[in-house]
Structure formats: C-alpha cells, structure tokens
Amino acid sequence: MQSANFDDNFKPKDKVVLIDSKKRIFLITLEIGGKFHSHGGVVDHDLIIGQKEGLNVSTPMGYKLICFHPTLEDIILKMPRGAQVIYPKDIGKILMAADIRPDITVVESGVGSGALSMALLRLNVKLTGYEIREDFLKIALANVESNLGKRNNYILKHRDIYEGIDEAGLDRIILDLPEPQRAVSHAKNALKCGGILLCYLPTINQVSILTEVLRNFGFDYIETTETFERTWNVTTKSVRPDHRMTAHTGFIVKARNT
Ligand code: SAH
C-alpha cells in the first residue's frame, strides 16, 4: 500500500489532514516549498515534512492546526468526486453485511468516484468494477492510485452492467446504481451458490421493485436495512446529540443466491 504507515514521519507527496479547534478538516498533499492557504493564514508544508503525526502547527496569525495521516474516511469525504460517494457509515455496514474478506472475488457497479472500491481493495479482494461513464472511471482510478497505489487486484471495465456480467463463480456483487433489478438475472448467473448480492438504494420504491425481482429469480434471505449515525456534542457542562444529522443516505438490500 502506498499510503503512509502510522509511525512514518511525513514526507513529500504524503496526504495529511489538518484539523482546527472547531474540528474543521482539510486534506492536503505535501510538497517541498508548498503552502496551505486557510482563512487563518498560511502554513508552509516544510513545517510538516519530516515531522511525526500529532504535530501542532500554527499560521503567523495564530490559527492552530493539528496534523495526522488521513484515515480512509477522511479521504473519502474530501477526495475529488464524479458521482456521489457511498458514505463511510454505509460502507462500514456493506463490508460487514457482504462479509468482505481477503481473496474473494467481487464485482462492483457503478464505480463512481471509487469510494467503495477503496474500502474493498484495502481488504484485498479481487475486484472488478463496471462503470458506464468513462470520465468517472478516470476519477475513480486516480482516487484509488493516489491513495492506495497501483493495484493488480483491480480491473475496471467501461461497461453497462445491465447488458451482462462477464465473470462467473463470483463470491459477491455490489450494486450502487439506479435500477439494480435490471442486473439481477446476470447476477444470478454470475454468483456462485450462496454468493451475496448487495444493493445500495436511496429510495424505498427502488427497494420494493428490486425485492420483487429478487424473489422472482429465486434469491433467498433477502434483507433491507438502513443505518443511522448520530454524532454527539460532549463537553464538561453539556452532553447531548448534535442538532443536525444526516437523516437519510440509502437502504442496503442483501440477498443470497441459491
Ligand atoms: N459506489 C460509488 C458511487 C456510485 S454512483 C462510490 O462509492 O464512489 C453510481 C454510478 O453508477 C455512477 O457513476 C453511474 O455512472 C454508474 N452507473 C449507472 N448506471 C450504470 C450501469 N448501467 N452500468 C454501469 N454503471 C452505471
């Protein structure tokens, strides 16, 4: 993996998250002589290069920031996007629901910005991505390579998955696109018996249509879930949920091939 180890000192080309006292997060890529411009002034990258994470820096105006190697969540929320990414709270659920583990074969579609791809690749699956838009494929590949390095377990296809799936004997298929029911017959043939098809959908109408089709094609153990994440404000005087939360992202439909 190209991304830094936690005990490595920061070096040129490393990504770094800078966090201020209000928990605002900035993601930068270090360059010798580079500068991070913020509303509170400028930080020279050279102040960070060669130092360990946890370093405190401040601008000449006194704006303070703390520096860390980014987590995958930091990267996903800040990286360049073509299509909307799957949010980290849902990626966490998907990895568990689809029982993702090293060396299994997975087809993913659409690839979008590559957020889910990165989470799957970090678990060393053998991943093939189908994406209908060539411009999104380029963004996804750039995101994967700049954060995880070049991967030989990642194949990208400029393909419409509604037209078919080339692979056979797959362990998992994960679909994040508007009409997954149009890929169900292909998934049925491409998945091994017991394999998992997992779909991520924003509306319950889509879930309803998909579930009907899954039943018709003999999929079993069909489950729909949604995941809520509520952040809290914790200070000495007050402990309460934050006033705002992301109320809805998507539903996850999981089904097993029989
Ligand atoms: N899961 C991705 C986001 C996918 S957004 C991530 O985490 O970053 C949905 C993507 O599906 C878009 O990029 C869209 O172009 C693609 N798409 C839509 N219909 C498709 C189809 N029939 N075949 C392949 N890709 C498709």
Side-chain angles (χ1 to χ4, degrees):
M1 197 163 109
Q2 184 176 284
S3 43
N5 291 316
F6 294 122
D7 49 0
D8 285 348
N9 288 6
F10 293 119
K11 46 186 192 314
K13 303 232 181 318
D14 276 356
K15 292 204 161 64
V16 180
V17 280
L18 305 174
I19 306 168
D20 73 6
S21 59
K22 293 190 172 155
K23 294 197 188 136
R24 276 181 291 220
I25 296 176
F26 308 93
L27 182 67
I28 65 169
T29 304
L30 291 176
E31 285 166 36
I32 294 168
K35 292 184 188 304
F36 166 63
H37 293 268
S38 74
H39 64 280
V42 176
V43 177
D44 289 321
H45 291 197
D46 293 353
L47 288 175
I48 303 172
I49 292 170
Q51 305 296 322
K52 283 207 178 305
E53 66 176 340
L55 169 77
N56 287 284
V57 289
S58 68
T59 65
M61 289 161 65
Y63 178 52
K64 292 185 173 45
L65 295 144
I66 186 162
C67 311
F68 293 108
H69 293 301
T71 63
L72 185 56
E73 182 167 9
D74 296 325
I75 289 168
I76 286 174
L77 294 176
K78 295 285 172 187
M79 71 188 190
R81 289 180 193 185
Q84 176 67 273
V85 297
I86 302 187
Y87 276 92
K89 74 172 173 77
D90 294 316
I91 291 181
K93 171 74 188 177
I94 289 169
L95 297 179
M96 185 57 78
D99 194 29
I100 298 300
R101 53 200 147 90
D103 296 324
I104 61 172
T105 50
V106 182
V107 159
E108 178 206 7
S109 186
V111 175
S113 310
L116 181 62
S117 295
M118 286 200 271
L120 295 168
L121 290 168
R122 283 225 310 196
L123 288 171
N124 276 330
V125 307
K126 293 176 184 141
L127 181 62
T128 303
Y130 285 56
E131 170 58 53
I132 205 166
R133 282 190 53 173
E134 205 164 11
D135 52 339
F136 289 172
L137 275 180
K138 285 187 185 139
I139 291 170
L141 190 62
N143 280 332
V144 166
E145 291 191 345
S146 77
N147 293 297
L148 303 183
K150 281 198 191 304
R151 290 275 162 162
N152 54 17
N153 55 337
Y154 192 36
I155 296 168
L156 286 176
K157 296 186 174 178
H158 180 207
R159 284 278 306 273
D160 178 345
I161 201 161
Y162 301 154
E163 290 181 354
I165 298 176
D166 307 325
E167 294 70 21
L170 290 168
D171 295 299
R172 310 286 182 252
I173 297 177
I174 305 179
L175 301 178
D176 173 15
L177 32 69
E179 296 178 283
Q181 68 277 5
R182 293 177 60 189
V184 166
S185 65
H186 312 312
K188 179 85 195 158
N189 295 328
L191 275 172
K192 62 171 63 153
C193 191
I196 295 175
L197 171 63
L198 194 142
C199 304
Y200 183 68
L201 289 164
T203 76
I204 206 69
N205 317 55
Q206 291 163 297
V207 170
S208 173
I209 294 165
L210 172 65
T211 302
E212 190 70 25
V213 175
L214 287 170
R215 286 204 189 101
N216 291 343
F217 275 90
F219 277 85
D220 217 321
Y221 192 5
I222 306 170
E223 279 181 352
T224 298
T225 55
E226 67 178 317
T227 303
F228 296 101
E229 181 178 78
R230 190 162 67 154
T231 57
W232 284 61
N233 180 280
V234 180
T235 65
T236 319
K237 289 187 178 159
S238 148
V239 177
R240 56 160 175 78
D242 284 330
H243 294 304
R244 288 162 194 257
M245 71 183 279
T246 303
H248 179 65
T249 52
F251 300 99
I252 290 170
V253 180
K254 168 183 166 182
R256 299 205 71 156
N257 193 21
T258 51

